[in-house]
Amino acid sequence: MNDIETIEVSGTIRLGQFLKLAGLAESGAQARDVIAEGDVEVDGSIETRRGRQLHGGEVVTVHSESEELRVRVAVAE
C-alpha cells in the first residue's frame, strides 16, 4: 500500500469536488459514477453521497480494477 498523500482544502468541500481536486476523478461525471458504483470509501466506510461534506482529517479511498488510491483531506490554515 502506498503512503497517503495529503491534499489541502480551504474549509469544507464536497466529496465529488474533492475527487476532482485530488486527481482521483477527471470530471464531475466520472466522480459521480465512481461514487455511485460504491468504489469510494471515506474513513473506511463506503460513501455513495456525492455531496458528503469533508471537513479535514478524513481519508478518502478510491478502488479501481488495478489499484487502491488513498488521499487524506487537510484544511489549509
Side-chain angles (χ1 to χ4, degrees):
M1 187 177 298
N2 298 336
D3 291 331
I4 299 176
E5 181 180 358
T6 300
I7 302 290
E8 288 191 356
V9 298
S10 57
T12 61
I13 188 169
R14 291 186 187 108
L15 178 58
Q17 293 173 325
F18 181 75
L19 292 180
K20 292 187 301 182
L21 176 70
L24 300 174
E26 293 180 11
S27 66
Q30 184 185 22
R32 178 192 64 223
D33 292 343
V34 86
I35 292 168
E37 291 171 6
D39 293 333
V40 177
E41 293 180 4
V42 176
D43 291 336
S45 297
I46 293 175
E47 183 58 69
T48 58
R49 297 173 294 162
R50 186 173 66 177
R52 158 84 186 260
Q53 295 288 316
L54 303 174
H55 303 281
E58 297 93 341
V59 174
V60 176
T61 306
V62 176
H63 301 276
S64 70
E65 293 177 10
S66 60
E67 62 186 337
E68 178 180 278
L69 303 170
R70 300 177 73 186
V71 178
R72 183 178 310 279
V73 182
V75 176
E77 296 188 26

